[in-house]
Amino acid sequence: MVKIKNIKSRQVFDSRGNPTLEAEVFSSNNTSAFSIVPSGASTGTHEAFELRDNNNKDYLGKSVFNAVSNVNNIIAKALKNINIDDQSKIDKTLIELDGTDQKQKLGANAILAVSMACCKLAAIEKKIPLFKYLSKNKDFLLPIPLLNIINGGSHANNNLDIQEFMIRPENTNSFSEAIRRSFLVIQNLKKMLSNTNVGDEGGFAPDFKSNEEAIEIIIKSIEKSGFKPEKDISICLDIAANELKEPKSIDYYLNLIKNYPIKSIEDPFSEDDWDSWKKLTKKTNIQIVGDDLFATNKNRLNKGINEKSANSILIKPNQIGTVSETLDVIDLAKKNNFKTIISHRSGDSEDTFIADLSVATNSSQIKTGSLARSERVSKYNRLLRIEDALGNSAKIAKI
Ligand code: PGA
Ligand code: ZN
């Protein structure tokens, strides 16, 4: 039996240049694996707690040395000698050790980094890829990518109040074909813009006259690439409504859906406006995605299932704080015919855990930025490698 021998954490940096936490787990075989936690900008209040040293001015209050110390001094002792492949015991121990609802005591950043690193190490010890280790299935689906090609809201310095303008390739027969189409659209969009600076998730971030102008230029770049909007490539939005100064109405969204090839809208309303969510979901048959609404939390998802508040859930492991709880939420969603979209955070890293998670859970979609900035591209590259390794058995999900 391979056991956890030691855990060592340190402060590293995320793609926005902010401090974040890495945990490295060592086995009784002297093998090790590490994981880095991401960090959001448009974070909801129902998310698990990210522990930062607010009073330490050396890093403008953003350092994570207290969380690092929680791993090195508290978590490492509690997990020592547990079997590395007993993820449910590992996560249960972490949850009980913290003992709070939102992991305020040890910090969800400290807990998740350890939880993910343990999975990676167990996969290494078993000599199987992470997606196979995390999965209960024998057949695997590659997720359809949602690429955020124009950034706004709190991810960019421009005047767009909608946070994410994404493209989703439709009806492709492989993941690599989905990426090829996206590549062409991004390159054609680039040619149409005079300012090609990118935002936090790698999408272009110039000023536009309006949200509609941003949507229209994406439609032009889809056509320029030789594709049919809606049939070959559709548009998906993340409004991130918690961050809006002026809330948008149900009619605003119904008009957008009527006028443009929009197939998915995430967070159209703020995180506790359950009523509006329910009304919009009833009035449309497109994908309505709960991010801040559900916060990858089973109780909130249960409420959403009962009230038919949405038909899809965004899955961010650091909103809940352990791998086991993340897998439980995905299970609950699938049992109730909610689509699962595995997601990065706007502050991310070279860690590609979510790419494996998306394949392991046969999630229909993944959202991990544009084809720019290595912390985004690394996830797509990981999926291309998985597709290649699966060979003839590799299939892409269907919506
Ligand atoms: P965040 O953005 O990581 O800044 O929260 C991602 C999202 O809202 O989906
Ligand atoms: Zn979101």
Side-chain angles (χ1 to χ4, degrees):
M1 277 297 165
V2 184
K3 307 211 179 264
I4 295 174
K5 190 167 105 186
N6 192 18
I7 306 175
K8 174 95 187 69
S9 177
R10 60 186 69 87
Q11 175 171 293
V12 293
F13 289 83
D14 73 16
S15 56
R16 269 194 284 257
N18 287 326
T20 189
L21 181 146
E22 164 176 294
E24 191 169 5
V25 182
F26 297 84
S27 75
S28 46
N29 277 342
N30 285 326
T31 312
S32 74
F34 70 86
S35 193
I36 303 176
V37 281
S39 175
S42 59
T43 46
T45 57
H46 303 290
E47 295 194 19
F49 182 72
E50 184 180 68
L51 180 60
R52 292 196 182 267
D53 314 326
N54 297 329
N55 298 325
N56 183 342
K57 295 295 166 245
D58 291 354
Y59 287 88
L60 309 173
K62 291 188 169 182
S63 59
V64 292
F65 295 123
N66 284 315
V68 165
S69 150
N70 289 344
V71 176
N72 291 340
N73 300 314
I74 302 172
I75 293 177
K77 283 193 194 100
L79 295 188
K80 198 178 160 96
N81 290 328
I82 295 184
N83 289 347
I84 189 64
D85 64 355
D86 195 347
Q87 192 66 32
S88 62
K89 180 158 180 200
I90 291 168
D91 288 340
K92 204 164 164 269
T93 308
L94 289 166
I95 291 163
E96 282 168 8
L97 196 60
D98 181 87
T100 67
D101 268 3
Q102 287 180 295
K103 303 187 173 63
Q104 295 97 314
K105 190 172 157 209
L106 300 172
N109 41 354
I111 292 172
L112 180 66
V114 171
S115 179
M116 292 194 296
C118 286
C119 293
K120 288 185 181 181
L121 184 53
I124 292 171
E125 290 290 357
K126 287 188 185 297
K127 298 190 172 54
I128 54 173
L130 180 59
F131 70 91
K132 284 193 180 159
Y133 175 70
L134 287 173
S135 180
K136 292 187 227 144
N137 313 319
K138 289 239 158 49
D139 297 319
F140 298 101
L141 289 177
L142 275 293
I144 300 167
L146 275 72
L147 293 96
N148 180 9
I149 65 173
I150 293 181
N151 294 185
S154 46
H155 295 167
N157 260 334
N158 59 7
N159 61 353
L160 294 171
D161 65 348
I162 291 183
Q163 181 178 279
E164 302 174 19
F165 299 78
M166 295 172 277
I167 50 170
R168 184 177 77 184
E170 302 289 340
N171 303 309
T172 66
N173 52 20
S174 69
F175 180 78
S176 37
E177 171 60 10
I179 292 293
R180 187 189 74 88
R181 284 190 201 170
S182 308
F183 156 77
L184 290 175
V185 174
I186 292 165
Q187 294 303 318
N188 278 305
L189 175 59
K190 190 173 190 175
K191 281 191 214 146
M192 288 180 204
L193 298 172
S194 48
N195 170 354
T196 57
N197 292 347
V198 299
D200 287 353
E201 297 190 349
F204 300 115
D207 282 338
F208 286 94
K209 286 199 204 93
S210 61
N211 292 313
E212 285 77 2
E213 194 194 26
I215 294 171
E216 278 159 21
I217 197 166
I218 293 178
I219 294 173
K220 275 195 204 125
S221 36
I222 294 172
E223 288 166 343
K224 197 91 211 289
S225 309
F227 301 121
K228 289 203 171 58
E230 186 153 354
K231 188 169 160 277
D232 299 323
I233 297 193
S234 63
I235 295 179
C236 304
L237 303 175
D238 180 5
I239 312 299
N242 273 355
E243 310 288 313
L244 290 177
K245 286 203 190 81
E246 291 280 320
K248 298 186 191 298
S249 69
I250 293 177
D251 285 344
Y252 173 81
Y253 295 121
L254 293 176
N255 268 322
L256 279 186
I257 297 165
K258 192 169 87 200
N259 295 331
Y260 299 111
I262 293 172
K263 288 283 152 214
S264 176
I265 300 183
E266 178 182 331
D267 281 0
F269 307 104
S270 61
E271 60 192 359
D272 290 313
D273 186 1
W274 294 93
D275 229 32
S276 300
W277 278 88
K278 190 168 151 184
K279 285 187 188 139
L280 178 64
T281 303
K282 197 167 175 200
K283 287 197 166 154
T284 178
N285 53 13
I286 72 159
Q287 178 168 273
I288 302 293
V289 188
D291 170 12
D292 293 335
L293 179 73
F294 297 137
T296 315
N297 180 306
K298 238 176 147 175
N299 298 334
R300 295 187 66 86
L301 176 59
N302 256 322
K303 180 170 159 78
I305 290 166
N306 291 335
E307 296 187 7
K308 297 192 171 65
S309 317
N311 49 38
S312 172
I313 177 173
L314 202 76
I315 300 288
K316 292 168 166 169
N318 81 328
Q319 283 180 327
I320 189 69
T322 63
V323 175
S324 302
E325 289 166 288
T326 306
L327 293 171
D328 282 353
V329 177
I330 295 172
D331 266 358
L332 177 66
K334 285 178 163 269
K335 282 198 185 101
N336 290 280
N337 293 321
F338 267 51
K339 302 260 185 250
T340 52
I341 306 172
I342 309 295
S343 172
H344 64 165
R345 298 305 305 244
S346 52
D348 215 288
S349 75
E350 66 269 33
D351 196 311
T352 57
F353 188 92
I354 59 162
D356 284 73
L357 180 65
S358 69
V359 178
T361 55
N362 282 350
S363 287
S364 66
Q365 295 150 83
I366 189 169
K367 157 174 132 152
T368 184
S370 189
L371 278 183
R373 301 183 58 132
S374 278
E375 77 280 3
R376 315 293 150 191
V377 180
S378 59
K379 277 71 161 176
Y380 296 122
N381 285 347
R382 172 67 187 149
L383 289 164
L384 290 168
R385 276 182 217 115
I386 294 175
E387 181 176 59
D388 197 25
L390 289 173
N392 286 340
S393 68
K395 287 195 185 68
I396 188 162
K398 298 253 174 293
I399 298 291

PDB file of all heavy atoms in Angstrom, residues 65-80:
ATOM      1  N   PHE A  65       0.646  32.968   2.838  1.00  0.00           N
ATOM      2  CA  PHE A  65       1.547  32.263   3.763  1.00  0.00           C
ATOM      3  C   PHE A  65       0.802  31.551   4.894  1.00  0.00           C
ATOM      4  O   PHE A  65       1.245  30.508   5.370  1.00  0.00           O
ATOM      5  CB  PHE A  65       2.603  33.226   4.322  1.00  0.00           C
ATOM      6  CG  PHE A  65       3.528  33.753   3.252  1.00  0.00           C
ATOM      7  CD1 PHE A  65       3.668  35.137   3.042  1.00  0.00           C
ATOM      8  CD2 PHE A  65       4.250  32.883   2.431  1.00  0.00           C
ATOM      9  CE1 PHE A  65       4.508  35.623   2.042  1.00  0.00           C
ATOM     10  CE2 PHE A  65       5.092  33.368   1.430  1.00  0.00           C
ATOM     11  CZ  PHE A  65       5.216  34.739   1.238  1.00  0.00           C
ATOM     12  N   ASN A  66      -0.332  32.096   5.331  1.00  0.00           N
ATOM     13  CA  ASN A  66      -1.100  31.393   6.377  1.00  0.00           C
ATOM     14  C   ASN A  66      -1.645  30.074   5.837  1.00  0.00           C
ATOM     15  O   ASN A  66      -1.633  29.062   6.536  1.00  0.00           O
ATOM     16  CB  ASN A  66      -2.262  32.261   6.882  1.00  0.00           C
ATOM     17  CG  ASN A  66      -1.751  33.370   7.808  1.00  0.00           C
ATOM     18  OD1 ASN A  66      -0.928  33.113   8.681  1.00  0.00           O
ATOM     19  ND2 ASN A  66      -2.227  34.585   7.576  1.00  0.00           N
ATOM     20  N   ALA A  67      -2.124  30.093   4.600  1.00  0.00           N
ATOM     21  CA  ALA A  67      -2.645  28.861   3.982  1.00  0.00           C
ATOM     22  C   ALA A  67      -1.506  27.857   3.779  1.00  0.00           C
ATOM     23  O   ALA A  67      -1.660  26.661   4.037  1.00  0.00           O
ATOM     24  CB  ALA A  67      -3.335  29.189   2.660  1.00  0.00           C
ATOM     25  N   VAL A  68      -0.343  28.369   3.351  1.00  0.00           N
ATOM     26  CA  VAL A  68       0.835  27.501   3.180  1.00  0.00           C
ATOM     27  C   VAL A  68       1.180  26.849   4.513  1.00  0.00           C
ATOM     28  O   VAL A  68       1.413  25.629   4.603  1.00  0.00           O
ATOM     29  CB  VAL A  68       2.037  28.326   2.644  1.00  0.00           C
ATOM     30  CG1 VAL A  68       3.350  27.559   2.807  1.00  0.00           C
ATOM     31  CG2 VAL A  68       1.816  28.704   1.181  1.00  0.00           C
ATOM     32  N   SER A  69       1.172  27.638   5.557  1.00  0.00           N
ATOM     33  CA  SER A  69       1.499  27.096   6.877  1.00  0.00           C
ATOM     34  C   SER A  69       0.448  26.084   7.340  1.00  0.00           C
ATOM     35  O   SER A  69       0.785  25.084   7.990  1.00  0.00           O
ATOM     36  CB  SER A  69       1.681  28.280   7.829  1.00  0.00           C
ATOM     37  OG  SER A  69       1.339  27.928   9.112  1.00  0.00           O
ATOM     38  N   ASN A  70      -0.818  26.301   7.002  1.00  0.00           N
ATOM     39  CA  ASN A  70      -1.855  25.312   7.348  1.00  0.00           C
ATOM     40  C   ASN A  70      -1.575  23.963   6.694  1.00  0.00           C
ATOM     41  O   ASN A  70      -1.810  22.918   7.283  1.00  0.00           O
ATOM     42  CB  ASN A  70      -3.244  25.815   6.927  1.00  0.00           C
ATOM     43  CG  ASN A  70      -3.713  26.955   7.810  1.00  0.00           C
ATOM     44  OD1 ASN A  70      -3.164  27.169   8.895  1.00  0.00           O
ATOM     45  ND2 ASN A  70      -4.719  27.694   7.349  1.00  0.00           N
ATOM     46  N   VAL A  71      -1.082  23.988   5.457  1.00  0.00           N
ATOM     47  CA  VAL A  71      -0.739  22.721   4.789  1.00  0.00           C
ATOM     48  C   VAL A  71       0.455  22.082   5.487  1.00  0.00           C
ATOM     49  O   VAL A  71       0.424  20.906   5.880  1.00  0.00           O
ATOM     50  CB  VAL A  71      -0.404  22.941   3.290  1.00  0.00           C
ATOM     51  CG1 VAL A  71       0.054  21.624   2.649  1.00  0.00           C
ATOM     52  CG2 VAL A  71      -1.608  23.499   2.543  1.00  0.00           C
ATOM     53  N   ASN A  72       1.512  22.871   5.661  1.00  0.00           N
ATOM     54  CA  ASN A  72       2.766  22.305   6.174  1.00  0.00           C
ATOM     55  C   ASN A  72       2.653  21.823   7.617  1.00  0.00           C
ATOM     56  O   ASN A  72       3.272  20.835   7.999  1.00  0.00           O
ATOM     57  CB  ASN A  72       3.886  23.339   6.069  1.00  0.00           C
ATOM     58  CG  ASN A  72       4.258  23.604   4.609  1.00  0.00           C
ATOM     59  OD1 ASN A  72       3.969  22.777   3.739  1.00  0.00           O
ATOM     60  ND2 ASN A  72       4.871  24.737   4.349  1.00  0.00           N
ATOM     61  N   ASN A  73       1.857  22.537   8.413  1.00  0.00           N
ATOM     62  CA  ASN A  73       1.846  22.227   9.847  1.00  0.00           C
ATOM     63  C   ASN A  73       0.621  21.463  10.330  1.00  0.00           C
ATOM     64  O   ASN A  73       0.697  20.770  11.333  1.00  0.00           O
ATOM     65  CB  ASN A  73       1.989  23.515  10.667  1.00  0.00           C
ATOM     66  CG  ASN A  73       3.293  24.215  10.332  1.00  0.00           C
ATOM     67  OD1 ASN A  73       4.336  23.571  10.261  1.00  0.00           O
ATOM     68  ND2 ASN A  73       3.232  25.515  10.080  1.00  0.00           N
ATOM     69  N   ILE A  74      -0.497  21.614   9.642  1.00  0.00           N
ATOM     70  CA  ILE A  74      -1.714  20.946  10.138  1.00  0.00           C
ATOM     71  C   ILE A  74      -2.129  19.804   9.200  1.00  0.00           C
ATOM     72  O   ILE A  74      -2.275  18.660   9.621  1.00  0.00           O
ATOM     73  CB  ILE A  74      -2.866  21.977  10.279  1.00  0.00           C
ATOM     74  CG1 ILE A  74      -2.428  23.101  11.230  1.00  0.00           C
ATOM     75  CG2 ILE A  74      -4.134  21.298  10.786  1.00  0.00           C
ATOM     76  CD1 ILE A  74      -3.386  24.277  11.316  1.00  0.00           C
ATOM     77  N   ILE A  75      -2.291  20.120   7.912  1.00  0.00           N
ATOM     78  CA  ILE A  75      -2.802  19.119   6.961  1.00  0.00           C
ATOM     79  C   ILE A  75      -1.797  17.969   6.790  1.00  0.00           C
ATOM     80  O   ILE A  75      -2.173  16.793   6.773  1.00  0.00           O
ATOM     81  CB  ILE A  75      -3.144  19.793   5.610  1.00  0.00           C
ATOM     82  CG1 ILE A  75      -4.334  20.743   5.798  1.00  0.00           C
ATOM     83  CG2 ILE A  75      -3.416  18.755   4.528  1.00  0.00           C
ATOM     84  CD1 ILE A  75      -4.732  21.542   4.568  1.00  0.00           C
ATOM     85  N   ALA A  76      -0.517  18.309   6.672  1.00  0.00           N
ATOM     86  CA  ALA A  76       0.504  17.270   6.443  1.00  0.00           C
ATOM     87  C   ALA A  76       0.448  16.213   7.543  1.00  0.00           C
ATOM     88  O   ALA A  76       0.528  15.012   7.265  1.00  0.00           O
ATOM     89  CB  ALA A  76       1.889  17.901   6.364  1.00  0.00           C
ATOM     90  N   LYS A  77       0.284  16.659   8.774  1.00  0.00           N
ATOM     91  CA  LYS A  77       0.233  15.696   9.904  1.00  0.00           C
ATOM     92  C   LYS A  77      -1.027  14.831   9.828  1.00  0.00           C
ATOM     93  O   LYS A  77      -0.982  13.623  10.045  1.00  0.00           O
ATOM     94  CB  LYS A  77       0.222  16.458  11.233  1.00  0.00           C
ATOM     95  CG  LYS A  77       1.583  16.984  11.607  1.00  0.00           C
ATOM     96  CD  LYS A  77       1.624  17.446  13.078  1.00  0.00           C
ATOM     97  CE  LYS A  77       2.882  18.268  13.302  1.00  0.00           C
ATOM     98  NZ  LYS A  77       2.646  19.720  13.290  1.00  0.00           N
ATOM     99  N   ALA A  78      -2.153  15.476   9.524  1.00  0.00           N
ATOM    100  CA  ALA A  78      -3.434  14.745   9.534  1.00  0.00           C
ATOM    101  C   ALA A  78      -3.505  13.687   8.428  1.00  0.00           C
ATOM    102  O   ALA A  78      -4.186  12.672   8.584  1.00  0.00           O
ATOM    103  CB  ALA A  78      -4.588  15.738   9.393  1.00  0.00           C
ATOM    104  N   LEU A  79      -2.832  13.933   7.312  1.00  0.00           N
ATOM    105  CA  LEU A  79      -2.950  12.993   6.179  1.00  0.00           C
ATOM    106  C   LEU A  79      -1.835  11.953   6.131  1.00  0.00           C
ATOM    107  O   LEU A  79      -1.896  11.008   5.344  1.00  0.00           O
ATOM    108  CB  LEU A  79      -2.982  13.756   4.849  1.00  0.00           C
ATOM    109  CG  LEU A  79      -4.184  14.671   4.599  1.00  0.00           C
ATOM    110  CD1 LEU A  79      -4.151  15.201   3.159  1.00  0.00           C
ATOM    111  CD2 LEU A  79      -5.512  13.963   4.848  1.00  0.00           C
ATOM    112  N   LYS A  80      -0.831  12.140   6.973  1.00  0.00           N
ATOM    113  CA  LYS A  80       0.318  11.221   6.960  1.00  0.00           C
ATOM    114  C   LYS A  80      -0.145   9.768   7.154  1.00  0.00           C
ATOM    115  O   LYS A  80      -0.995   9.481   7.993  1.00  0.00           O
ATOM    116  CB  LYS A  80       1.271  11.615   8.093  1.00  0.00           C
ATOM    117  CG  LYS A  80       2.671  11.054   7.929  1.00  0.00           C
ATOM    118  CD  LYS A  80       3.562  11.530   9.077  1.00  0.00           C
ATOM    119  CE  LYS A  80       4.756  10.638   9.198  1.00  0.00           C
ATOM    120  NZ  LYS A  80       5.936  11.090   8.549  1.00  0.00           N
TER     121      LYS A  80
END
